[in-house]
């Protein structure tokens, strides 16, 4: 069992008063007769250490002359069986089975190979190689060579040797030399010297490489990970990134893997099982801390929401506890979360926001107008030609096309488009023809008018637009609907939610930078929830969240952690409910990372049965010239699938073609 600073950091411990024969008898009874007592099986096996499970296997054989693992395989099925049987194998044999499954059959599970070989230490690698030979009578290196190729294969073979230096004595001179060698092998070279990356990252000690990474950033002006993404590609890139992540922080690496296994479209159960089994007696407590810090929810709660039945119960037992139960960070995690807001502020000021639609070269509004008229004239409509033109022009260019069309043909292009195309394609194309302010005003009006109110749309638009954008929306709304946006909101909403929306619609957010002293005061103002007066708390949150600048709010959220050990979003969810809670959470997430907020909205629009086309269209249109490229990157990071890929799978026809053109590429 591994320890950190003298503390055991696994979630599964030796069971006190352990009796292998008694446990073997309990398991035998649970599987005897018609059906099996799955809950009894999972409760026992998930509460014994791996060493104790090995003794149970031996006792079972002695008492009943039967193989316990074979009996479990016979009685259990699916994911639950894979998890329970995985727990019964010694760690090296579990890894060996995972790798065998990864390389056998058609195709290779490169992610499994990367995860195991990038994260195991020398001793674990040696034990894995021996276990593979013992279990399957085959040489692991030979199997990996047969199933992989190129630089990816070379790095895997280096890792399989288990010869990483383990000396903690670090030479400053060698640190600088390795950092410079990596820089010259990538950023400063035409092409990339992959062999240099393999040599340094595959052989140097962990402590040495951590210093190399720091030195590299000084030399290159960027993190090594950024250079790897720019210089390498495919599975080799993913492997090298995983090696770097494991060296920086093994707990952060596994927290990220777990999050992505449950975040995307569906659950990657093999990854979830592999990590929960393999880390349960090593560092699951550290992984839980990292998970809670980075994803603002507990690992326990995410497993609970993403799985079901006995499989869920077994996973939750391995997790070992819910870090959201008390609603606060671990002390160590609070410090990391505080630093993350510092990083968030720095990143926000440095990140270049990029749209996916750029001005068309050699643009000619008259030619485009004629081409559109031709596409709609006569019998049938050439939707493909319409899509090709209008999705490859900026909004200002589309406005010129509208005028040119009117001048040449004396016709309203919008009216012609409306009569020629229909359904989701019509909503998308007609939306592109409106100015951004007109489009937002129309979406807000649709959310308010008619039966019921679409609060989600009101929140999404008003919580994410800046003062200038909201002022333009107000003018467009007044012109189109002959009433003020404030009056429309006031007549259709009520209570604190109405006050929040009216405040946001007034476009009075401060545009100054951060004020450290004021941020501390603001954090104290919203952290004082002990009075039990929820109305007062909502008012205090509204005053600050709806009026302070984004840079200032980042500092407020940072100070909030410092003062309370809580995350501000978690506090909002705990103390508030309904539309008020949703509006405040949207503001917090937008302040933290607006592209990530929209990426999450897009993911939810395409998750599960059916597609929320209104949300999909609204975000692609409104962000196409602002930050859709950044949203694409956030989507890929969070879901491990590109936005292009998800749109392609969820839509069809010319509508899909138009959406993909706006998306601008496949990541």
């Amino acid at each position: 069992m591994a320890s950190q600073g003298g503390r055991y950091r696994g979630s599964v411990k030796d069971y006190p008063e352990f009796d292998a024969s008694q446990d073997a008898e309990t398991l035998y009874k649970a599987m005897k007769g018609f059906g099996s007592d799955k809950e009894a099986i999972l409760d026992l096996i998930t509460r014994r250490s791996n060493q104790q499970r090995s003794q149970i296997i031996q006792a079972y054989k002695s008492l009943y002359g039967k193989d316990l693992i074979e009996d479990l395989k016979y009685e259990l099925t699916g994911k639950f069986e894979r998890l329970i049987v995985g727990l019964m194998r010694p760690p090296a044999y579990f890894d060996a089975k995972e790798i065998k499954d990864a390389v056998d059959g058609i195709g290779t599970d490169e992610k499994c190979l990367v995860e195991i070989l990038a994260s195991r230490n020398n001793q674990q690698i040696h034990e894995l190689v021996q276990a593979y030979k013992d279990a399957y009578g085959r040489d692991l290196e030979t199997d990996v060579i047969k199933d992989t190729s190129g630089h990816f294969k070379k790095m895997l073979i280096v890792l399989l040797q288990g010869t990483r230096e383990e000396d903690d004595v670090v030479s400053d001179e060698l640190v600088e030399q390795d950092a410079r060698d990596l820089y010259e092998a990538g950023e400063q070279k035409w092409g990339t010297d992959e062999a240099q990356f393999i040599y340094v990252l595959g052989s140097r000690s962990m402590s040495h490489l951590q210093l190399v990474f720091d030195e590299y950033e000084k030399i290159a002006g960027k993190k090594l990970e950024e250079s790897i993404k720019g210089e390498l590609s495919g599975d080799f890139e993913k492997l090298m990134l995983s090696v770097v992540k494991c060296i920086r922080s093994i707990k952060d690496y596994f927290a990220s893997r777990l999050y992505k296994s449950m975040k995307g479209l569906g659950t990657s159960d093999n990854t979830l099982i592999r990590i929960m089994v393999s880390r349960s007696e090593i560092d699951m407590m550290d992984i839980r801390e990292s998970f809670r810090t980075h994803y603002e929810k507990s690992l326990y709660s995410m497993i609970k929401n993403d799985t079901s039945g006995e499989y869920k119960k077994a996973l939750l037992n391995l997790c070992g506890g819910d870090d959201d139960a008390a609603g606060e960070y671990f002390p160590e995690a609070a410090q990391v979360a505080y630093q993350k807001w510092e990083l968030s502020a720095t990143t926000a000021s440095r990140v270049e926001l990029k749209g996916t639609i750029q001005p068309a070269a050699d643009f000619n509004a008259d030619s485009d107008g004629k081409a559109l008229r031709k596409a709609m004239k006569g019998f049938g409509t050439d939707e493909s030609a319409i899509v090709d033109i209008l999705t490859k022009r900026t909004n200002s260019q589309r406005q010129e096309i509208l005028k040119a069309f009117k001048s040449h043909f004396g016709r309203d292009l919008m009216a012609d488009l409306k009569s020629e195309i229909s359904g989701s394609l019509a909503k998308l194309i007609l939306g592109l023809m409106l100015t951004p302010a007109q489009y937002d005003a129309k979406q807000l009006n649709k959310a308010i008018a008619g039966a019921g109110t679409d609060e989600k749309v009101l929140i999404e638009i008003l919580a994410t637009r800046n003062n200038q954008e909201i002022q333009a929306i107000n003018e467009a709304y007044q012109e189109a609907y002959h009433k003020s946006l404030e009056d429309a909101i006031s007549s259709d909403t009520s209570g604190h939610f109405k006050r929040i929306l009216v405040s946001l619609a007034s476009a009075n957010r401060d545009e100054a930078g951060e004020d450290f002293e004021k941020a501390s005061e603001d954090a104290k103002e919203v952290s004082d929830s002990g009075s039990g007066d929820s109305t007062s708390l909502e008012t205090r949150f509204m005053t600050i969240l709806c009026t302070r600048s984004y840079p200032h709010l980042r500092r407020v959220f940072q100070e909030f952690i410092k003062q309370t050990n809580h995350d501000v979003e978690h506090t909002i969810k705990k103390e508030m409910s309904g539309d008020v809670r949703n509006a405040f959470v949207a503001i917090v997430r937008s302040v933290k990372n607006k592209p990530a907020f929209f990426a999450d909205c897009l993911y939810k629009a395409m998750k599960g049965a059916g597609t929320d086309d209104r949300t999909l269209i609204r975000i692609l249109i409104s962000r196409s010239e602002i930050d859709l490229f950044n949203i694409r990157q956030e989507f890929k990071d969070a879901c491990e699938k590109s936005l292009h890929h998800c749109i392609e799978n969820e839509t069809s026809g010319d509508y899909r073609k138009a959406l993909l053109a706006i998306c601008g590429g496949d990541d």
Side-chain angles (χ1 to χ4, degrees):
M1 294 180 180
S3 64
Q4 185 184 62
R7 294 180 300 154
Y8 174 65
R9 302 300 292 162
S11 55
V12 176
K13 305 174 183 178
D14 282 333
Y15 188 74
E17 301 178 14
F18 170 66
D19 186 323
S21 297
Q22 186 176 323
D23 283 350
E25 184 180 350
T26 301
L27 289 171
Y28 181 75
K29 287 178 179 176
M31 293 185 283
K32 191 178 180 182
F34 183 73
S36 54
D37 187 346
K38 296 179 179 66
E39 192 146 346
I41 293 169
L42 78 88
D43 275 342
L44 191 151
I45 289 175
T46 59
R47 288 185 167 87
R48 303 297 186 270
S49 67
N50 191 268
Q51 188 179 37
Q52 290 176 332
R53 293 183 209 119
S54 295
Q55 292 178 48
I56 296 170
I57 290 173
Q58 293 170 7
Y60 194 90
K61 189 91 166 190
S62 298
L63 288 171
Y64 306 108
K66 301 178 74 174
D67 187 315
L68 175 55
I69 289 182
E70 290 304 315
D71 279 5
L72 289 167
K73 283 182 181 179
Y74 180 79
E75 291 291 335
L76 310 178
T77 58
K79 298 172 287 191
F80 181 53
E81 178 215 327
R82 187 179 180 93
L83 174 61
I84 294 299
V85 170
L87 287 168
M88 300 309 295
R89 292 191 173 100
Y93 285 82
F94 176 74
D95 281 351
K97 177 67 165 63
E98 291 294 301
I99 286 188
K100 179 178 174 291
D101 289 347
V103 298
D104 270 359
I106 299 171
T108 305
D109 185 351
E110 290 86 2
K111 288 181 181 177
C112 173
L113 292 178
V114 168
E115 180 196 299
I116 292 176
L117 297 182
S119 64
R120 304 312 194 242
N121 61 33
N122 288 347
Q123 183 182 342
Q124 290 168 330
I125 292 286
H126 295 152
E127 290 171 353
L128 160 62
V129 170
Q130 185 57 49
Y132 193 91
K133 183 81 171 176
D134 182 46
Y136 309 112
R138 287 154 45 181
D139 180 64
L140 177 53
E141 183 175 324
T142 302
D143 281 2
V144 169
I145 288 171
K146 283 193 298 186
D147 220 54
T148 58
S149 61
H151 296 294
F152 178 59
K153 175 179 72 176
K154 291 175 185 175
M155 185 61 178
L156 289 176
I157 298 308
V158 167
L159 295 173
L160 269 173
Q161 305 315 301
T163 54
R164 184 178 296 284
E165 296 167 358
E166 295 180 331
D167 189 356
D168 287 337
V169 178
V170 177
S171 162
D172 292 338
E173 186 177 332
L174 186 57
V175 165
E176 187 176 348
Q177 183 63 53
D178 280 347
R180 191 156 296 282
D181 286 347
L182 288 172
Y183 180 60
E184 291 173 356
E187 293 287 343
Q188 277 202 326
K189 187 179 178 65
W190 181 260
T192 306
D193 182 359
E194 289 88 351
Q196 192 64 45
F197 278 84
I198 290 171
Y199 172 69
V200 174
L201 295 179
S203 63
R204 301 296 193 214
S205 72
M206 308 278 275
S207 52
H208 173 86
L209 283 172
Q210 286 168 354
L211 295 175
V212 169
F213 299 161
D214 293 340
E215 184 65 25
Y216 183 90
E217 193 168 353
K218 292 177 189 174
I219 295 170
K222 61 172 72 171
K223 289 183 179 295
L224 180 60
E225 291 94 318
E226 294 177 58
S227 293
I228 288 173
K229 288 176 183 176
E231 298 293 328
L232 310 180
S233 62
D235 293 323
F236 182 49
E237 174 198 337
K238 292 170 186 169
L239 173 57
M240 300 308 265
L241 284 173
S242 294
V243 170
V244 172
K245 288 176 183 175
C246 287
I247 289 164
R248 283 197 188 277
S249 171
I250 197 84
K251 65 177 183 177
D252 290 351
Y253 171 72
F254 281 116
S256 171
R257 292 283 294 149
L258 284 168
Y259 179 74
K260 288 177 179 178
S261 76
M262 292 179 279
K263 171 65 175 174
L265 301 172
T267 302
S268 177
D269 291 291
N270 286 353
T271 300
L272 180 56
I273 291 168
R274 187 167 55 246
I275 297 173
M276 296 304 292
V277 170
S278 65
R279 310 311 293 189
S280 60
E281 294 183 53
I282 299 175
D283 52 4
M284 185 55 67
M285 297 294 287
D286 295 321
I287 293 168
R288 276 171 42 185
E289 284 188 10
S290 175
F291 196 99
R292 177 66 183 88
T293 300
H294 287 89
Y295 306 112
E296 295 166 4
K297 64 180 74 177
S298 68
L299 175 59
Y300 187 99
S301 66
M302 197 158 185
I303 291 171
K304 189 174 181 180
N305 291 333
D306 218 59
T307 58
S308 61
E310 284 85 8
Y311 175 54
K312 173 172 75 175
K313 291 175 185 175
L315 287 170
L316 292 178
N317 283 355
L318 294 178
C319 183
D322 186 358
D323 305 315
D324 275 340
E328 68 179 82
Y329 286 111
F330 293 91
E332 299 94 330
Q335 294 174 22
V336 175
Y338 181 88
Q339 292 162 2
K340 274 186 67 186
W341 278 109
E342 191 81 45
L343 181 63
S344 171
T346 305
T347 303
S349 64
R350 286 169 46 186
V351 168
E352 178 189 0
L353 297 178
K354 292 166 60 180
T356 54
I357 295 181
Q358 309 298 328
D362 302 321
F363 170 67
N364 187 305
D366 290 339
S367 297
D368 283 347
K370 290 173 184 176
L372 288 168
R373 175 66 178 152
K374 183 180 177 182
M376 294 184 284
K377 196 175 180 182
F379 183 74
T381 304
D382 187 350
E383 284 94 349
S384 189
I386 295 170
V387 168
D388 279 340
I389 294 170
L390 296 180
T391 59
K392 292 180 174 63
R393 306 294 184 268
T394 61
N395 191 270
S396 61
Q397 289 176 332
R398 292 185 213 114
Q399 301 311 309
E400 291 184 50
I401 295 170
L402 282 169
K403 293 173 186 174
F405 196 88
K406 189 89 168 184
S407 297
H408 273 286
F409 306 109
R411 300 172 67 92
D412 185 329
L413 176 55
M414 291 284 281
D416 280 4
L417 288 167
K418 196 177 291 186
S419 69
E420 294 292 330
I421 54 178
S422 60
S424 296
L425 178 62
K427 290 184 176 69
L428 178 61
I429 295 298
L430 292 170
L432 287 169
M433 300 307 298
L434 296 170
T435 68
Q438 287 170 341
Y439 182 71
D440 278 349
K442 185 172 183 178
Q443 297 306 303
L444 289 168
N445 179 257
K446 281 186 175 181
I448 293 169
T453 305
D454 191 338
E455 293 85 1
K456 187 177 76 169
V457 174
L458 298 178
I459 291 168
E460 180 199 298
I461 294 176
L462 294 176
T464 60
R465 304 313 193 243
N466 61 34
N467 287 347
Q468 186 178 351
E469 290 167 335
I470 288 178
Q471 286 164 1
I473 292 168
N474 274 301
E475 292 170 13
Y477 198 95
Q478 181 71 49
E479 184 178 348
Y481 306 108
H482 309 294
K483 68 187 296 188
S484 72
L485 176 58
E486 181 179 331
D487 286 346
I489 290 169
S490 296
S491 65
D492 211 60
T493 57
S494 60
H496 279 287
F497 183 54
K498 176 178 79 174
R499 293 175 61 198
I500 292 165
L501 295 179
V502 168
S503 178
L504 292 171
S506 67
N508 284 327
R509 188 177 293 284
D510 184 13
E511 294 181 339
E514 60 195 55
D515 181 331
F516 284 81
E517 187 175 336
K518 181 66 176 172
S520 181
E521 293 174 8
D522 284 348
K524 188 174 189 307
E525 181 75 12
V526 294
S527 68
D528 184 17
S529 58
S531 64
D533 184 354
S534 61
T535 302
S536 175
L537 181 64
E538 288 170 346
T539 301
R540 296 199 301 271
F541 263 96
M542 185 188 75
T543 301
I544 291 164
L545 293 185
C546 297
T547 64
R548 306 294 196 258
S549 71
Y550 273 27
H552 181 80
L553 283 173
R554 289 189 188 97
R555 189 64 64 182
V556 173
F557 301 156
Q558 185 184 40
E559 289 299 309
F560 188 88
I561 291 171
K562 186 177 181 180
Q563 293 176 18
T564 68
N565 248 29
H566 287 65
D567 172 69
V568 69
E569 183 179 331
H570 189 280
T571 298
I572 289 167
K573 289 177 177 176
K574 181 182 175 184
E575 299 289 338
M576 301 172 199
S577 61
D579 296 323
V580 170
R581 177 191 63 191
N582 295 339
F584 285 154
V585 166
I587 293 170
V588 171
R589 290 185 176 176
S590 184
V591 168
K592 184 176 184 180
N593 185 332
K594 194 176 290 185
F597 169 78
F598 283 116
D600 186 60
C601 292
L602 285 169
Y603 163 71
K604 288 173 180 172
M606 292 182 281
K607 183 183 180 183
T611 301
D612 179 357
D613 291 293
R614 287 185 62 189
T615 298
L616 184 56
I617 292 168
R618 186 173 60 250
I619 295 175
L620 260 67
I621 288 177
S622 63
R623 311 313 295 183
S624 60
E625 294 181 51
I626 301 172
D627 55 3
L628 187 53
F629 181 80
N630 308 81
I631 292 168
R632 272 171 38 187
Q633 292 177 313
E634 295 291 343
F635 192 98
K636 180 69 181 293
D637 287 346
C639 304
E640 291 200 318
K641 294 184 181 180
S642 68
L643 178 58
H644 180 104
H645 173 82
C646 291
I647 290 171
E648 197 170 40
N649 287 345
E650 291 290 322
T651 58
S652 61
D654 291 308
Y655 172 52
R656 173 170 65 188
K657 183 180 178 182
L659 288 170
L660 292 178
I662 297 169
C663 182
D666 189 356
D667 304 304

